[in-house]
């Protein structure tokens, strides 16, 4: 059974930095995309950043030049979201999403448990 475990998050003042990590455990063949999503109160969940297996990245316009996504493709696959120059509007629950080739031919999306990020003004 594949599981994603997140760490990081918390409360920070505007302008500060936080680092989120997401690690996959269990048995799987490979991981395609790794991504971070966030959901602010009263808003829909939105894609923050995604990184492909080849290392290609894409960011939401609102976080470009402030956030950096990276990945480790070793056995203990991990994805890190480094968040700098945080703004109050970055507040929300951040969840990681890995597209994983486990036992079958088609990949399955797995989600972390979510971690709260609160940026105070």
């Amino acid at each position: 059974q594949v599981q994603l475990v997140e760490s990081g998050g918390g409360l920070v003042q505007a302008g500060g930095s936080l680092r989120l990590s997401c690690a996959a455990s269990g048995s799987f063949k490979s991981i395609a995309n790794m991504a971070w999503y966030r959901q602010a109160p009263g808003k829909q969940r939105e894609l923050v950043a995604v990184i492909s297996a080849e290392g290609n990245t894409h960011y939401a316009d609102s976080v470009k030049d402030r956030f950096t996504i990276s990945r480790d493709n070793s056995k203990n696959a991990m994805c890190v979201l480094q968040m700098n120059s945080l703004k109050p509007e970055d507040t929300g629950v951040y969840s990681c999403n890995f597209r994983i080739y486990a036992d079958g031919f088609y990949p399955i999306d797995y989600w972390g448990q979510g971690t709260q990020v609160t940026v105070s003004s």
Side-chain angles (χ1 to χ4, degrees):
Q1 181 71 18
V2 177
Q3 286 188 320
L4 302 187
V5 178
E6 299 178 20
S7 61
L11 174 64
V12 66
Q13 287 189 332
S17 299
L18 284 174
R19 182 177 183 269
L20 305 181
S21 298
C22 182
S25 64
S27 177
F28 52 87
K29 297 176 184 176
S30 64
I31 301 177
N33 288 354
M34 295 180 176
W36 287 93
Y37 289 77
R38 70 184 179 192
Q39 187 167 20
K43 294 187 177 181
Q44 288 188 332
R45 184 170 60 192
E46 63 173 343
L47 175 67
V48 175
V50 59
I51 184 167
S52 70
E54 296 78 20
N56 298 314
T57 58
H58 171 79
Y59 297 92
D61 288 343
S62 59
V63 307
K64 280 181 181 176
D65 300 323
R66 299 189 297 120
F67 291 11
T68 302
I69 189 170
S70 60
R71 64 185 286 165
D72 177 357
N73 291 324
S74 65
K75 181 176 177 60
N76 298 320
M78 179 175 290
C79 182
V80 173
L81 184 68
Q82 178 65 43
M83 304 185 293
N84 298 327
S85 302
L86 282 161
K87 304 176 180 179
E89 51 263 44
D90 293 319
T91 294
V93 176
Y94 285 68
S95 301
C96 59
N97 168 271
F98 288 5
R99 183 154 291 177
I100 296 177
Y101 290 87
D103 297 326
F105 181 79
Y106 297 101
I108 299 175
D109 282 343
Y110 290 86
W111 291 88
Q113 77 275 18
T115 186
Q116 178 69 42
V117 171
T118 303
V119 185
S120 63
S121 58

